[in-house]
Structures are given as structure tokens and as C-alpha cells.
Amino acid sequence: MAKKSKIAKYKKQVQLIEQYRAVRQELKAQGDTQALAKLPKDSNPTRLKKRDMIDGRPRGYMNKFGMSRINFRKHAHLGEIPGVTKASW
């Protein structure tokens, strides 16, 4: 499990991205790079490192399911993810 401070920072960054989304799109349409540079750095969505929604793990993240490979495997074996079954041949 990730540190609570890292999870809190991630949530704060997601909120900041949402807050500045409209302003950022407007400035990009105008081509105003100086005004874009004055916005908070963490309001840029490319800086966001996605994390597992269950335990906050930053690595091995599967975007389609919103969780890391470890939690994906655990929940898939338990049958808790719809449409996912263990392969056997």
C-alpha cells in the first residue's frame, strides 16, 4: 500500500486538473503560452501519474480497470471483475 501522503497528493492533483481544465482549454485555443506557463504545474494533466484506486500503487497500473496488476489478478481470480476469467488450455 502506498503512503497516505502520496494518495492525498494524487487526489489533490486530480482536483486541481479539474479546476483548471476549462481555463487551460481556452488558453490553448488562443495560443497564449505565457498565460499557460503561469498556471500551477500540477494542473497539467500530463503530469498526473495514475494510481491504483484500491491501494494507491503507482506501478503496473491497468487503465482499463483502474487498478494495478496485483489487485487485478487477485480480483480476477475471485471473479469480482465482470467479463474477466482465468484462461486455461
Side-chain angles (χ1 to χ4, degrees), residues 23-66:
V23 176
R24 185 170 287 280
Q25 286 178 348
E26 185 179 318
L27 291 174
K28 275 190 173 184
Q30 294 174 0
D32 192 354
T33 56
Q34 290 179 343
L36 273 172
K38 291 180 181 177
L39 293 177
K41 285 186 178 180
D42 279 344
S43 69
N44 190 348
T46 58
R47 288 177 56 95
L48 183 67
K49 173 74 172 164
K50 294 189 176 180
R51 291 182 167 267
D52 187 336
M53 298 306 288
I54 299 169
D55 63 2
R57 181 181 168 85
R59 294 185 174 200
Y61 180 80
M62 300 175 77
N63 198 32
K64 185 175 181 180
F65 300 100

Side-chain angles (χ1 to χ4, degrees), residues 67 71-81 84-86:
M67 60 180 73
N71 282 321
F72 174 78
R73 187 168 189 263
K74 182 174 86 175
H75 291 286
H77 281 303
L78 295 173
E80 295 174 355
I81 304 174
V84 177
T85 57
K86 186 176 185 306

Side-chain angles (χ1 to χ4, degrees), residues 4 6 10 14 16 22 26 35-36 42 66:
K4 301 234 185 253
K6 291 288 187 178
Y10 171 75
V14 168
L16 199 63
E26 185 179 318
L36 273 172
D42 279 344

